[in-house]
Amino acid sequence: MASLSALIHTLVTKATEKDLITNRDRFYARNQILGLLQEASYQETDELLSMDIPDVLEELADVAQEKGMIEGLLDEREQLTAKIMDVFLSKPSAINDTFYQKYEIAPEQATAYFYQLSKDSNYIQTKRIANNIHFKSASDYGDLDITINLSKPEKDPEQIRREKEMVQNVAYPQCLLCAENEGYVGRIGHPARSNHRIIEVPLEGEEWFLQYSPYVYYNEHSIVFAREHRPMKINRDSFARLTAFIEKFPHYFIGSNADLPIVGGSILSHDHYQGGNYTFAMTNAEDEFSFQVDAYPEIEAAVVKWPLSVIRLRHADRQQLINASDDILQKWREYSDPEANIYAFSDNTPHNTITPIARKRDGMFEIDLVLRNNRTSEEHPMGIFHPHADVHHIKKENIGLIEVMGLAVLPPRLKQELAAIKRYLLGEEVNVADYHQNWVQSIQEEHKAITTANVDQIVEDALGAKFARVLEDAGVYKTDQAGREAFRRFLAFFNQ
């Protein structure tokens, strides 16, 4: 292991090169790190290690562990490394000021500054994200994004035991999205946020904030969240805030998970959206057919050629889109069509909601309204419009906003399982998980000549086809003739 002085010198130098601090700040930064590591002395050195910031932080955590300062649990290591990076960060008010100084020049400059800062400060876990497997897969609906998520480190058994033993009577911050996480040191079971900064982005007279996801799934993967800790709710205010955001940041899209279990995202307890600077397959999907919104004749409206059921609205005036979107939402919430297996309520339990996505394109505001229904049945206990049992070997979690737009976030187990499948297809004697057997057999039947040269592409294509099936399961109106006729029945009901 390199000397502590060389590690600190390297970290301070790297932080200076990234403009986190200036040369004038070097002594201060060095001494703060020495204090965090309970080290009184420092040996002047010019030794610059060929390491990036995340690697230096890992070695500094090793030093702390050797000194007995921490036991080496993941949360303890991250608390320390986040504190170290906080040394190089300005106070939140200064970062907000810089953001809006750059915003005056161009919104793109402001977000580029904050995104780079979030990466350089190691809040965005760039080294871990690099472990993710990502590729595109052609489908009838465009090029789908496939990601096998390997960026979140697994907790060791000792940390899991500690979390279970701890009396979780701390209700601060209330959740992982609350503004109070900014600068929070963290604890066992709650991630370190010392190096976390958020940007004020007022929306429609309310306090809202912008941050980036620590484990970005696409370029500039951002989270926009309410100051108030309140449950997710899709309503007229949602459409107003979404369009207000893209009016401020027209180079971004922004969308919301649905507000009901099964079809919603993983965090329904805090009102928030996700956005970013990325073009998904759904964004590029063509109009399948257009229709008239009778109450808003100037709005361009179409059903999108996409496995989920998407209404796309376009207009230069966002107020028109807000009104029309709310009208569609209200009509959808009360709509049932037994022939299409759609029921709005079971007794008093609502089932219909919407996943909305907003963007600006060619000077026009554009809103996609993805119709969702979370009803379950005996045949499909996890959800009628949820990945069905025959695709659970690939994906059985909720289909949230990111998946809706065409980016699969698949479980880490698939890395090893797919490697085994490829070896099996090449004739090696290897165990393949029972739940993959039917899939592997179908691949063998479809491809008679599988070689080392084509096996990767064959398996990737098969995985992409499975994800397309996942999305088709989630569509309330199927893409066949009967499904499109049922979709038109809802549009007629809306226009009554």
Side-chain angles (χ1 to χ4, degrees):
M1 182 184 290
S3 72
L4 177 58
S5 294
L7 288 168
I8 294 176
H9 173 68
T10 300
L11 183 58
V12 171
T13 302
K14 295 283 185 182
T16 306
E17 291 172 351
K18 291 180 179 296
D19 294 325
L20 291 173
I21 58 171
T22 68
N23 277 318
R24 177 63 185 83
D25 302 317
R26 291 174 69 98
F27 292 147
Y28 167 84
R30 173 201 297 174
N31 290 330
Q32 289 295 304
I33 297 167
L34 287 170
L36 289 171
L37 294 171
Q38 300 177 13
E39 189 69 33
S41 63
Y42 178 85
Q43 183 67 45
E44 288 287 350
T45 179
D46 292 326
E47 183 182 1
L48 195 62
L49 305 171
S50 57
M51 301 169 67
D52 292 327
I53 285 177
D55 297 311
V56 178
L57 292 172
E58 286 301 309
E59 293 224 3
L60 290 175
D62 290 341
V63 170
Q65 188 173 342
E66 287 179 5
K67 289 165 67 80
M69 293 171 52
I70 59 176
E71 293 185 29
L73 299 181
L74 174 65
D75 281 0
E76 289 182 322
R77 292 175 68 89
E78 293 202 334
Q79 285 170 31
L80 176 63
T81 56
K83 283 182 191 175
I84 291 172
M85 289 313 299
D86 187 41
V87 167
F88 301 106
L89 286 173
S90 300
K91 295 292 191 293
S93 58
I95 289 172
N96 273 257
D97 287 345
T98 302
F99 181 91
Y100 278 104
Q101 287 166 12
K102 294 181 181 296
Y103 182 90
E104 288 301 314
I105 301 169
E108 294 89 344
Q109 283 197 27
T111 54
Y113 152 74
F114 187 46
Y115 189 53
Q116 191 63 47
L117 179 73
S118 299
K119 291 191 289 186
D120 291 342
S121 65
N122 204 47
Y123 178 74
I124 294 177
Q125 301 276 345
T126 54
K127 183 182 178 184
R128 293 177 184 167
I129 292 163
N131 293 325
N132 289 346
I133 296 170
H134 181 263
F135 58 89
K136 288 185 179 289
S137 179
S139 78
D140 292 341
Y141 310 104
D143 290 339
L144 303 177
D145 288 294
I146 310 296
T147 297
I148 298 176
N149 178 25
L150 303 170
S151 57
K152 292 186 180 180
E154 293 185 19
K155 297 179 181 180
D156 61 43
E158 175 62 18
Q159 169 143 338
I160 294 170
R161 184 187 67 79
R162 292 274 193 93
E163 289 183 18
K164 288 181 178 178
E165 285 183 354
M166 286 184 66
V167 179
Q168 297 293 331
N169 57 359
V170 181
Y172 178 87
Q174 287 180 266
C175 79
L176 296 177
L177 292 182
C178 284
E180 289 83 358
N181 282 282
E182 187 176 42
Y184 187 65
V185 172
R187 59 181 187 268
I188 299 296
H190 190 103
R193 291 291 182 258
S194 294
N195 58 337
H196 177 40
R197 298 294 185 268
I198 60 179
I199 301 295
E200 298 172 356
V201 286
L203 297 176
E204 300 294 275
E206 277 194 342
E207 286 186 274
W208 282 69
F209 295 93
L210 167 72
Q211 70 171 71
Y212 290 105
S213 168
Y215 299 101
V216 293
Y217 291 132
Y218 51 85
N219 186 48
E220 298 178 49
H221 179 184
S222 52
I223 301 169
V224 181
F225 60 97
R227 171 69 180 84
E228 180 186 357
H229 178 77
R230 65 187 186 215
M232 290 274 298
K233 187 64 180 173
I234 303 298
N235 54 27
R236 179 189 174 84
D237 292 339
S238 307
F239 306 128
R241 288 189 290 261
L242 294 174
T243 52
F245 181 86
I246 59 170
E247 191 169 49
K248 292 174 184 279
F249 301 99
H251 60 299
Y252 270 20
F253 81 90
I254 188 169
S256 176
N257 278 304
D259 55 356
L260 293 178
I262 297 177
V263 295
S266 57
I267 301 178
L268 297 180
S269 60
H270 195 117
D271 206 359
H272 73 285
Y273 311 130
Q274 293 181 80
N277 190 2
Y278 189 72
T279 301
F280 293 87
M282 193 180 89
T283 310
N284 286 334
E286 301 173 353
D287 295 352
E288 186 172 335
F289 62 86
S290 59
F291 66 94
Q292 181 77 22
V293 181
D294 290 349
Y296 306 94
E298 295 179 358
I299 286 179
E300 296 177 22
V303 165
V304 179
K305 184 183 177 183
W306 191 245
L308 285 96
S309 307
V310 185
I311 294 171
R312 180 167 289 170
L313 305 178
R314 303 183 188 93
H315 200 279
D317 177 9
R318 74 183 184 93
Q319 290 300 327
Q320 291 238 28
L321 291 188
I322 293 166
N323 294 336
S325 298
D326 187 48
D327 286 352
I328 290 172
L329 173 65
Q330 299 310 320
K331 286 291 183 71
W332 175 243
R333 286 203 189 276
E334 67 181 51
Y335 182 73
S336 294
D337 183 349
E339 189 177 338
N341 208 18
I342 294 170
Y343 294 88
F345 294 91
S346 294
D347 297 324
N348 293 320
T349 301
H351 294 304
N352 288 352
T353 186
I354 278 176
T355 299
I357 299 113
R359 65 184 73 86
K360 282 200 89 171
R361 179 154 42 186
D362 300 328
M364 303 271 278
F365 288 94
E366 189 172 271
I367 288 185
D368 287 348
L369 305 173
V370 187
L371 306 181
R372 312 298 300 275
N373 178 287
N374 77 340
R375 199 164 65 85
T376 61
S377 68
E378 196 171 312
E379 182 184 3
H380 302 296
M382 296 184 71
I384 297 170
F385 305 105
H386 177 86
H388 292 171
D390 62 326
V391 296
H392 284 179
H393 66 108
I394 294 299
K395 175 80 171 176
K396 64 179 179 181
E397 296 81 11
N398 291 9
I399 300 305
L401 174 68
I402 294 173
E403 286 91 357
V404 162
M405 294 184 291
L407 192 160
V409 181
L410 302 178
R413 62 176 171 82
L414 284 177
K415 178 183 179 181
Q416 299 301 327
E417 293 174 1
L418 293 178
I421 287 170
K422 291 174 185 177
R423 291 168 59 197
Y424 181 87
L425 292 172
L426 291 171
E428 295 186 35
E429 290 189 13
V430 61
N431 289 328
V432 171
D434 290 343
Y435 46 77
H436 287 314
Q437 291 291 345
N438 289 339
W439 184 46
V440 171
Q441 185 178 342
S442 69
I443 294 173
Q444 288 178 311
E445 290 171 355
E446 185 176 349
H447 301 277
K448 300 304 181 185
I450 299 177
T451 68
T452 54
N454 66 14
V455 68
D456 288 342
Q457 189 65 54
I458 286 171
V459 172
E460 287 181 5
D461 288 346
L463 191 62
K466 274 286 181 178
F467 179 57
R469 270 285 324 283
V470 164
L471 297 182
E472 288 169 349
D473 286 347
V476 295
Y477 295 118
K478 305 310 176 188
T479 56
D480 57 14
Q481 182 178 345
R484 269 14 201 177
E485 288 174 357
F487 206 153
R488 289 180 185 275
R489 287 198 297 273
F490 170 67
L491 299 177
F493 169 80
F494 167 69
N495 273 327
Q496 287 177 359

